[in-house]
Amino acid sequence: MPELRIAFFGALLWAVTMGASALVNLFLDNWETPAKIRIVTLLFAVGAALAFPIGLFAAKLVSQGRRWEVAFAAAFVCLAAATVGLTSGLFALQYRSYYAEWHAPAFTHTWALQFVFTTLIALYQFVVLGIRLYFPLGFVAVFAASVWFARQQR
């Protein structure tokens, strides 16, 4: 298990970095309204904060007792996957809550189909539209965090 101090402060730093990555990209694109920029930035920050301890734990689990290169690769893949996965999950929840108003009554067959397909469409939209908000700052942060992790594993 990662140390509590590292997990907490790492999650805060990770949240600030991923939120800043989204914010910079949205400002450079002259995107929508300030309120929508805040919501997307907050979504990326919360997703990153939740993802950091999980990604760190997964990387430690995968790289136990292995060489520096394996620790680097494990951290890179686990942190990136956890960050994108949890952020896209939060996006899907927000997307679903918006469209729930027009869906069938809860727990019916039609509702279940609408729930599944709305979630899948939200995840697809995040992959197509949201992943770009991680570049280049988020990619550099994943690289730097992976180097830090690999050095700690020695």
Side-chain angles (χ1 to χ4, degrees), residues 116-141:
V116 168
F117 285 103
T118 303
T119 302
L120 290 174
I121 289 167
L123 295 174
Y124 170 76
Q125 281 189 357
F126 184 83
V127 168
V128 171
L129 300 172
I131 294 289
R132 69 181 176 82
L133 299 179
Y134 288 116
F135 292 97
L137 183 59
F139 182 76
V140 171

Side-chain angles (χ1 to χ4, degrees), residues 15 24 27 30 32 44 53 58 62 64 71 75 85 92 104-105 107 120 123 133 135-137 148:
V24 166
F27 271 135
N30 200 21
E32 295 289 328
F44 272 68
V62 171
Q64 267 182 339
F107 306 113
L120 290 174
L123 295 174
L133 299 179
F135 292 97
L137 183 59
W148 166 82

